[in-house]
Amino acid sequence: MKKNSFYVLTGCIALVLLAVFWYSVEIHNPIPIEIVFVAGIAVIYFARRTVTDLIEDERSAKITEKAALRTFQVFWVLFCAFSIGAVMQILYIPTFPRDKFLDHPPEILGPRLMGYVQLGLLCLMIFLYVAFRIYYARKYGDWETDEE
Amino acid sequence: MKNKIKVFRAMHDLTQEDLAHAIGVTRQTILAIEKGKYVPSLDLAFKIARHFQVNIEEVFQYDEPYMSVDID
């Protein structure tokens, strides 16, 4: 498969995912988008292995590796901070009515809010990754120009 | 890390694209190495040197950091 065909395929899969997402919203069932998402990513991974044009060498691998590592370093701190905050809310710390808590656990962080927060963190992670990628690509000479 | 890839390319009448294709990297990687933006792995450095049929030290020179030596 040629590099451009791979990019077109990736774009098509993204469109399909978007369509299935809205279909899942319509039918109030998350299963279709979850299955199609995993399948779509698997197809992209397999298709990428069949690309014959050179799209990655050790420098681009290093850029990817560094960007992923930095994203992870930032993300786990934010995720831990959020999780600690969520646990504290659930436990009503510091106003901790222990006797009432066991009978009526508070529902501050419902599943809907949790979903939004997860989506927000995921978007943040993607933006962070793109930003780090741009930074390291620039650092390792991706946009250098030459007289040739 | 300094290198003389550009010089060797000129000697062998090779473009960056030619060299990149020959050693299996992208042209941007050759350009980044030439400009000192990226230090290649030992494997890639050997490939480049082998391609020009010279020793690796002839293509790449390690910049020794200045070290002061106390003389009694």
Side-chain angles (χ1 to χ4, degrees):
Chain A
M1 180 186 283
K2 292 282 180 189
K3 190 165 61 178
N4 288 343
S5 308
F6 171 71
Y7 291 144
V8 170
L9 176 70
T10 306
C12 290
I13 289 172
L15 287 176
V16 170
L17 284 178
L18 195 64
V20 176
F21 173 77
W22 284 114
Y23 174 71
S24 291
V25 171
E26 284 289 319
I27 63 168
H28 300 284
N29 185 0
I31 301 298
I33 182 60
E34 287 170 353
I35 292 172
V36 173
F37 181 78
V38 173
I41 298 298
V43 169
I44 288 174
Y45 278 150
F46 281 116
R48 198 172 187 281
R49 290 168 65 176
T50 65
V51 175
T52 50
D53 312 20
L54 183 68
I55 55 171
E56 192 173 63
D57 59 9
E58 64 169 50
R59 189 182 58 90
S60 53
K62 188 170 184 178
I63 291 169
T64 306
E65 182 189 314
K66 286 241 179 192
L69 180 68
R70 290 282 178 261
T71 305
F72 177 70
Q73 283 175 333
V74 173
F75 183 71
W76 86 262
V77 173
L78 291 179
F79 196 75
C80 268
F82 165 73
S83 301
I84 291 166
V87 168
M88 284 186 74
Q89 273 197 326
I90 289 167
L91 296 178
Y92 268 173
I93 293 171
T95 56
F96 188 92
R98 287 169 194 274
D99 50 337
K100 290 178 185 173
F101 170 72
L102 296 173
D103 297 334
H104 307 287
E107 292 182 4
I108 295 170
L109 206 66
R112 177 173 289 190
L113 182 61
M114 193 69 185
Y116 284 140
V117 171
Q118 276 184 354
L119 199 63
L121 282 172
L122 186 67
C123 287
L124 175 71
M125 199 164 81
I126 292 168
F127 279 117
L128 264 177
Y129 178 72
V130 170
F132 278 126
R133 244 198 107 86
I134 291 170
Y135 170 76
Y136 283 109
R138 196 172 169 178
K139 185 178 176 185
Y140 292 122
D142 239 20
W143 290 289
E144 289 290 321
T145 53
D146 199 45
E147 67 273 12
E148 277 191 18
Chain B
M1 182 83 78
K2 288 179 182 174
N3 68 76
K4 293 181 183 168
I5 295 177
K6 203 167 187 172
V7 176
F8 278 99
R9 272 198 310 106
M11 284 163 61
H12 288 78
D13 197 22
L14 284 174
T15 63
Q16 289 174 339
E17 190 73 52
D18 295 335
L19 179 61
H21 185 72
I23 57 175
V25 294
T26 58
R27 188 185 87 88
Q28 209 60 32
T29 296
I30 298 297
L31 175 58
I33 296 170
E34 280 185 4
K35 294 225 166 189
K37 287 273 184 178
Y38 175 67
V39 178
S41 68
L42 205 52
D43 185 58
L44 181 56
F46 269 108
K47 275 185 190 169
I48 293 169
R50 291 261 164 88
H51 185 76
F52 293 127
Q53 296 177 326
V54 292
N55 289 327
I56 194 166
E57 298 91 344
E58 291 177 60
V59 185
F60 296 96
Q61 290 85 40
Y62 180 63
D63 279 339
E64 199 73 48
Y66 177 75
M67 293 193 309
S68 61
V69 179
D70 292 330
I71 302 170
D72 292 330

